[in-house]
Amino acid sequence: MSSLQEERKVDAEEDASDSGGNASPNGNELSNDESIPGNDYREGTSRVMELLEEERIQGQEASIPNGRAFNGYGIARPDDGCSQDEHPLLAMRPMADRKDSIEGSLSTPDDTPSIHGSVLSSPESSGLASHTSNSRLSPTLSLRPFDQRFRSRISSSPVNSPRTLSPAFLSAHSRQSSYSSQLFRDHIEPDSGPTPWEVVRWTKLKKISAQAFSEAGKRSFGKPTCISISASIALGTAKGIILIFDYHQTLKSIIGPGTKAVECGSITSLATSADHTAVAGGHANGSLFTWDISKPSRPFLHIQPLEAIHLQNRSTDGHVSGAAILHIGFLGTRHTALVSADDRGMAFSHMAARGLGAVGRNVKSTRVLGRYPNDMALVGKPRKPSSVLAFSPLPLGNVEQPTDAMGLTAMLTPYLLVIVSTTPLAQTQHKAARPKEVAAHGAMSACLAWFPAVKLKIKEPDAPESISKAKLAYCWSNVLTVLDVLEVEPDEMSRKDTPPSLQFRPRSRWKGEEAIVAVQWLTRLVLGVLTITQRLIILEDDSLRMTESFDLIQKQIFHHDTFSRQLQPLVEQLDDDDDDTSMHGVVADAFHMSFKVYKSRMFLLGFNDVSIGTLSNWADRLLAFMEQGDFIGAIQLATSYYNGEADKLTVGLPEDSLSRHSMVQEKLLEMMSASLKYAFGRNQKAGEEQVEQTRLEELASACFLACISMDDMDFLYDDVYAWYEDSSVETIFLETLEPYILNAQIKAVPPSVMKALITHFTSKGLDSRLEEMICHMGTRTMDIDQLTALCKQHNLYDALIYVWNQALNDYVTPLIDLLKLVTTPLPNGGGTSDQPSQVLLQSVNALKIFPYLSYILTSRVYPSGEILEDQEAAKAKAELYHFIFSGKPIPWPQNGGQIFLPSARSQSRSSYPYLRMILKFDAASFMSALNEAFEDNFLNGMPERIVNDGGKGNSSENQKFGSSVNRQYIVSILLEVMSPSDFDAEDTIYLDMFIARNLPKFPQFILLSGTALHRVLVGLCNYPSDDIADDCQLSVEYLLSVYHPPDLESLIPLFTQARFYRVLKSVYRVDKQYAKLLQTFFDDHENRDAIFDCIGDCLRPRTGLSSRQVRDVRTVLERNARELANIDIVKTAKTVSSFSPDLHATMLGALEADPKGQFVYLRTILESAPKSPGDPRIPQGAPNHAFVEQYVRLMCDFNPSHVANYIGMLQIGDLRLDQVLPAMESGGVVDAAVVLMAREGQIQEAMVRLTKHLDTLEAALLGVMNAATDNPDVENNVEATEELLEGLQKYAGVGIWLCQGQMKTALKSRATVKQPKRTSSTTNQQLSSEERLWLDLIDTIVRITKEVSLSPHDSSSDTVDDSAQPSSRLPLAIDSSKIVTSLRTIVQQAFTALLSTTTTTASIPSPNRNDHTFLRILRAFLTRASLSSPSLSDLRSVLAAIFSAYAYEESLLALANRLLDKDLFVHVAEATNLRQKGWAPKNQTCEGCGRRVWGPGAGGRIWDAWEEKREEEERTREAQLADRASGQVERKAERGKGKAVEEKMRRRSDSRSSGEGVDEARHSGDGEEDLGPLIIFSCRHIVHRKCLERLRAKDDDVDTQEDTPHGAGRQPEFRCLICI
């Protein structure tokens, strides 16, 4: 043990637990045979390739936990006699180096690499926002100066750049092979092409596969069934043999032949000890063998299973014979401590004592999970089938932990996660139930993987002493959970030898789309997850974020159906009380024995080979780019690694930024140097293909991003710029530099670069772009004299102002330079041809005065908008206020400067020359800038504020004067300067607006007299242009909020003349002049909908208006009725109806010239509100319902289809027939006229009018059909025919409704009035009024059908039958047969309605019931038809079609009934056959006592008992027949005759005694105990009744009552105890 601990200490010192930690390189180098031509590239990239190769090898050697595959021992130790070179599989060198390896021919790269890209990695977006062209012109003369604030053309954000960006800020790299497409986009799209690296580099172990999977190998050893990886590769086979290979793929040992192991079945599980010297195998029959790898001749330990016959009286624990060992593992460092689990859900720990050989060792097995099969009957409650789906002991880490001696083992069953400690005693440490997030009806699978506690290079925040926590990843179906194992600090009272107390805390959970069948830790922070579709998913532990995903289906991973036989009842039988649907689906195959990880390498056992794969780290991926010559992609990818934007953990980079930077920075600099040397070296060589300019732009962009990320500007300017300058392509560098300056990523450049930048942009005429860059840079490296001269030369006044302000802290000189543009005349006397453009340019630059003043006076840097420091801002404001509001011209600079004089002499002699000059130039813009400045607290006028150059007390008088300026002073000066004699109204109006808007905001700082304010009001009312009318009105509203004129009435004419309607509304509302208020709303053509709110406010009840005020308001409404309706008729109607319904007549009168408007108005007031049928809303003040009648008349013109529905809602008397009937007739609304006449009692007249309309439709239809041959417009003919047929259908329905209604009314009247009984003569001859209605309707419909059928377009035959064909004279578009069919359908509907009505009438009980109504109507119809047509053959086809339809419907009903009866009989017959078939028992013995109860050898007792039961049933049946035969007599006797009762009781007693005799006969026999009748369950288990009762008594602790007869009392409910 001491040697093991010492070795663990050595490993902990040598190794690093971080996945990206460095280890000593092995000296492997890449081959110099590169695919990219040119010696420069070879020389430039050789160092890069060496560095990347070293880092790649180191990253592979520094696997988690750094060469300790979850145990305390390294793979290559000096005392093992092997070195790293002896393990080519673990080195995993690239192809350039692997081809020279000794084993290169044995381990070849896989022909089918992992498919990458199906699920993208999700690196954090580091892309730059897209830039839009958004140029802003300098401010111009504004008629609305106070609406928006001044803005500069140059913004502090690069998003507002007014031009196309450099390639640096577009797609970072255009080649599909570049990784940059995933690094510089805000929204990552699926990559169309694969990455240049393989996510996992797979290699087939050719020699191992040849020996183990060849036909000879399978015959000799058996097919491989499982794999175990450590310092060697162990394969278990189907013949019970274990094959041991080293990493040269040499077969070192064959374990098992010639021993008992080969007799125990196939190897079903394998495990290797912590020191890699012993291997344990579990076999299919339940045996376990432990072998010393160096001594394979005999087992080190043999643990035999328990035979089934010994289970009842067992003295030790162990696996049952025949239970396959699915999982096995060593505990700690001992070879004699094992844990194992079988497929029947049982798990054991095995501790072997010391002894001589395998026979002399005493093994103590302890059951830690599951129950023996013979314990099923003793279980208190039913137990579901179970198995151990996943199982693993906690491996050792590279640092000692208290859990090492506990033997922690995790197990997953279909129901629970169980973690037990096996030493010193078996004890459950943690349980967790199956999560509810598991997908329902999915695949049942489970897997788990431990990661031990390891020593860290960098201490984690919650890890003491730089040691990570042990953790467990376990999966149920598609849900993965990570569980942390924490040690609870022991208290002072606990003993030192007490095992530590552990806490298990679930940390994170991930839900996949597919069931997970295997999981392994690739590193401490990376998980590999294998799904049921053989898809490998890479997850990062910290966030469980999926970084890679690819298919392994081509690997043909070995899997086996291990659990379905045991768990089939669980997934297939869904109990009623089982609500866990996740348990029911399919059982996934086992993959745990085929997917292993060791030292971050993945090993796959396939059906035909063994493969090893390594997840590519960051150095591998960079190396892949460089090998392809994609140096730009390599630089960009390395930059993303440096910034931590890519999947750091997946590629083996640490989370700590300092460690990551130190690892990547050197390689990144080397790659940039090599790339620059290669690119420009090729361009300098003659005869070689030149590198394209776009590639040089991309290279520059990549270098910029890398240097900015590393904050290494020296390399950018000293090396990168030097390469571009030496190659005379510095313009590419300078163009690439621009967006980084605008984005504020680069604030300063060296003087040489600045000079080149100015030269380049000015030579190309890109002055504005240069100006914007200057305004975003610092001024420390600038040549001020050169730059100011250049800015003036090229009119770059924004840059000029920026330099003066930032470099020299001078804020007045830029203002003077801008004012000079106003006064300085153009050169050459203005006679040049480009004078207009120069004037425009000079004017635009001069207008920059106002945004400049706005920025500086509000403490902002011009033109970037950044905030000035308080001291600097106060100094700048004081200088500007002093200069602008100086009463006379002043010299500038103060010491020795010249006096700046305006050009106009009048301005020079007058006071405040600079202020006058600015106001004359653009008063509106100056007032807007001053409006912004007034919001700054600098003008609050605090006397203690003195600008004194940082408190030194040497401030000038000018600065003190500027600091004392306040708002009152400025307003007073402006009122004095802008007198009407000096300035026009177009200028003074802006001063009035300025005062009116600022006075309410600063009433405590601005005091003006009433006269001045009155003058301001008058000036605002007399605005010079309609363009500023709204601004003036808004200013008046501002001013009136604080100023209340004493003679407001005198200002109303001014407000009216100025059309300040908002002001007038406010005044009238305050003075309660509601009539004028309403009239003002009518006069105001803006916000017209507000009139209705005003009307509601004035006329709403309880508003407090006097009757005179209400009358005045109504007068205004009447006067503007037409205008109000023109605004919105619907709102007008609603408003008038709500507040003044007596004005409806006035409103309708105003709309007399607009009938459509009247219709909409009446529809709103009559039908807008919900109402019940028969309760229309009639407006008040409508005598004789005139409005309703007028609405109906208008509706006949504008909405005739709605007339009938509306009339149906009216009550009788709401309409006068003579008032609306003419309109209905003229509008063709016959259905409404019929309804109205029927309601008025004119039934017969209604029918006459209806039949006349039907005749009209008939004539029209015949006319269309007869004229069809002459009219070439076929479409119109068809459309007219369809409309006429629809009309006939509609009005026939109206007639049916009329007849049915009259029939119901007549029925009710006959029920109340006794009618004389009809004689046979009256029955045959006289018809009632309702019957005559039916007769008229049917006669009309049949006559129309006959006339159309016999029209000249058909055959000239006098008779019409079904064989008659339409005449050829009709065009093909008009189908006469279809027309006739439609008419016959109408006739059939009429007869059907008549028949149903008369049948319904006959079904109602009535004392005067007469069922001959239909016959009388039919007789009268035939009589009338005979009079009009002596031969009834004309009606033959019509009547035949009607009655044949009835016969057809009857046949369909009869056929449907027969089909239903037949189907019902079939189902009943099937149920009867199944019931009579019964259940056949599964076994021939009782499940309780084991006696034979069925089949041969059961004896004759069963047959005798069956015969006795048949006789008893026969006697019972005869007794029941006798009871039924004498039932009538007995019922009479039981009412009073005691003898009959006694006789009946006697018969029943006899029958009961006969049954008891049979029962006694069962107990009498040959002395053998009779166990009662047999019970068979639906599961086909058979058991004696008494055996079942005994089992139930043992389970429930209830004594059975054997003396109670079986037939007495309530029958108990039996359940099969075998199944539950």
Side-chain angles (χ1 to χ4, degrees), residues 302-603:
H302 180 199
I303 304 176
Q304 299 181 358
L306 300 179
E307 298 296 334
I309 59 176
H310 298 152
L311 292 180
Q312 188 69 27
N313 300 319
R314 64 182 181 274
S315 58
T316 60
D317 284 329
H319 292 284
V320 180
S321 177
I325 309 300
L326 300 181
H327 311 280
I328 192 171
F330 288 93
L331 293 178
T333 59
R334 295 177 56 187
H335 293 181
T336 55
L338 300 170
V339 286
S340 60
D342 59 34
D343 60 355
R344 298 185 183 179
M346 300 190 70
F348 298 88
S349 65
H350 313 277
M351 302 292 177
R354 296 182 180 274
L356 298 176
V359 180
R361 297 182 183 276
N362 183 22
V363 180
K364 179 182 179 182
S365 298
T366 304
R367 179 166 55 92
V368 295
L369 184 68
R371 295 183 181 274
Y372 290 99
N374 63 328
D375 293 341
M376 286 185 176
L378 302 178
V379 178
K381 59 181 180 179
R383 179 153 40 96
K384 296 181 179 180
S386 181
S387 183
V388 182
L389 302 177
F391 178 95
S392 176
L394 174 63
L396 301 177
N398 59 5
V399 61
E400 291 188 8
Q401 289 291 300
T403 55
D404 294 348
M406 296 179 63
L408 285 182
T409 303
M411 296 168 283
L412 277 177
T413 71
Y415 318 99
L416 290 174
L417 164 69
V418 182
I419 301 177
V420 299
S421 58
T422 57
T423 55
L425 297 175
Q427 183 179 0
T428 301
Q429 298 288 339
H430 178 69
K431 282 185 178 182
R434 183 184 179 95
K436 296 182 179 179
E437 294 87 346
V438 173
H441 305 289
M444 177 180 290
S445 63
C447 51
L448 56 81
W450 286 99
F451 195 93
V454 294
K455 190 174 183 180
L456 304 175
K457 276 186 176 182
I458 302 172
K459 180 180 178 181
E460 292 183 348
D462 55 347
E465 300 179 359
S466 300
I467 299 175
S468 68
K469 300 181 293 291
K471 51 189 176 183
L472 172 69
Y474 64 93
C475 309
W476 261 305
S477 188
N478 63 325
V479 178
L480 180 144
T481 307
V482 178
L483 189 76
D484 286 336
V485 182
L486 307 176
E487 181 181 357
V488 180
E489 293 293 335
D491 54 11
E492 298 179 355
M493 302 298 295
S494 60
R495 298 172 53 187
K496 294 184 179 180
D497 56 350
T498 303
S501 179
L502 302 179
Q503 179 183 358
F504 299 85
R505 183 177 62 192
R507 170 163 48 86
S508 53
R509 178 164 290 175
W510 179 78
K511 186 175 181 181
E513 297 179 356
E514 301 173 341
I516 301 171
V517 295
V519 61
Q520 291 289 332
W521 290 94
L522 302 182
T523 66
R524 184 177 63 87
L525 300 174
V526 180
L527 274 166
V529 173
L530 184 65
T531 67
I532 194 171
T533 59
Q534 301 187 33
R535 188 172 191 81
L536 184 62
I537 298 174
I538 307 300
L539 300 177
E540 292 188 351
D541 177 40
D542 55 349
S543 60
L544 289 185
R545 182 169 57 95
M546 181 170 58
T547 59
E548 304 286 355
S549 175
F550 44 87
D551 291 325
L552 295 180
I553 192 68
Q554 73 279 356
K555 296 297 179 185
Q556 300 182 6
I557 304 175
F558 177 76
H559 53 90
H560 185 263
D561 184 7
T562 304
F563 307 104
S564 62
R565 181 179 180 183
Q566 179 72 10
L567 301 179
Q568 184 176 6
L570 176 64
V571 299
E572 292 184 355
Q573 296 182 5
L574 181 61
D575 298 337
D576 296 336
D577 56 348
D578 189 1
D579 58 351
D580 189 359
T581 57
S582 63
M583 287 290 187
H584 307 284
V586 296
V587 180
D589 288 357
F591 284 78
H592 65 273
M593 64 284 189
S594 306
F595 178 52
K596 301 294 182 180
V597 172
Y598 182 71
K599 288 183 176 293
S600 300
R601 276 78 175 173
M602 290 172 281
F603 291 82

Side-chain angles (χ1 to χ4, degrees), residues 641-921:
Y641 289 153
Y642 184 89
N643 295 329
E645 296 164 349
D647 305 317
K648 301 181 289 294
L649 304 179
T650 304
V651 299
L653 289 172
E655 283 283 347
D656 179 63
S657 298
L658 294 178
S659 302
R660 185 175 67 255
H661 291 171
S662 61
M663 293 172 63
V664 180
Q665 184 170 4
E666 182 183 359
K667 283 74 178 178
L668 183 55
L669 292 174
E670 292 286 347
M671 282 192 296
M672 286 192 292
S673 299
S675 301
L676 292 167
K677 185 176 181 180
Y678 163 70
F680 293 107
R682 275 181 73 171
N683 285 353
Q684 293 172 1
K685 284 184 176 291
E688 291 191 0
E689 182 183 357
Q690 301 293 307
V691 178
E692 299 178 357
Q693 182 175 355
T694 56
R695 301 292 290 162
L696 295 178
E697 292 173 355
E698 294 172 1
L699 177 60
S701 175
C703 293
F704 267 94
L705 289 174
C707 293
I708 291 174
S709 299
M710 295 184 296
D711 195 19
D712 191 352
M713 294 295 104
D714 294 338
F715 182 85
L716 179 65
Y717 297 125
D718 297 343
D719 295 74
V720 179
Y721 178 70
W723 275 105
Y724 279 87
E725 186 180 26
D726 294 342
S727 301
S728 302
V729 289
E730 67 273 7
T731 56
I732 297 177
F733 183 91
L734 299 175
E735 291 282 351
T736 308
L737 175 63
E738 178 187 5
Y740 295 99
I741 294 176
L742 299 180
N743 198 40
Q745 292 180 282
I746 296 178
K747 299 291 292 184
V749 295
S752 59
V753 179
M754 186 66 186
K755 181 179 179 181
L757 190 70
I758 295 174
T759 303
H760 167 67
F761 280 91
T762 54
S763 63
K764 288 192 173 184
L766 305 176
D767 301 332
S768 59
R769 293 171 59 177
L770 175 62
E771 182 181 30
E772 190 168 353
M773 284 190 288
I774 293 173
C775 294
H776 282 84
M777 287 192 296
T779 58
R780 294 179 301 172
T781 59
M782 296 181 180
D783 187 343
I784 303 301
D785 295 335
Q786 178 188 11
L787 192 57
T788 54
L790 182 64
C791 291
K792 290 182 179 180
Q793 177 184 355
H794 297 281
N795 294 311
L796 306 179
Y797 282 92
D798 284 337
L800 178 64
I801 295 172
Y802 179 81
V803 172
W804 279 108
N805 293 164
Q806 298 299 311
L808 303 176
N809 293 331
D810 188 351
Y811 296 90
V812 176
T813 300
L815 181 59
I816 295 175
D817 291 339
L818 294 175
L819 289 175
K820 288 180 180 179
L821 297 176
V822 180
T823 60
T824 303
L826 291 174
N828 300 328
T832 60
S833 59
D834 58 347
Q835 179 181 1
S837 60
Q838 293 184 7
V839 171
L840 178 60
L841 179 60
Q842 186 168 319
S843 300
V844 169
N845 288 327
L847 285 172
K848 294 181 179 180
I849 296 173
F850 307 108
Y852 172 63
L853 292 176
S854 173
Y855 272 53
I856 303 302
L857 296 181
T858 54
S859 305
R860 290 178 291 169
V861 176
Y862 183 85
S864 64
E866 299 175 359
I867 303 300
L868 284 169
E869 296 182 0
D870 294 340
Q871 189 67 28
E872 184 67 21
K875 175 180 177 296
K877 294 173 190 177
E879 291 180 354
L880 288 179
Y881 280 126
H882 169 259
F883 179 81
I884 294 172
F885 294 99
S886 174
K888 59 182 180 179
I890 60 174
W892 192 265
Q894 298 178 6
N895 300 324
Q898 297 181 355
I899 297 177
F900 171 64
L901 296 174
S903 59
R905 297 181 180 180
S906 58
Q907 293 180 1
S908 303
R909 292 193 300 266
S910 60
S911 60
Y912 306 104
Y914 306 128
L915 177 60
R916 291 178 183 272
M917 182 179 180
I918 296 174
L919 290 172
K920 287 291 185 179
F921 176 59

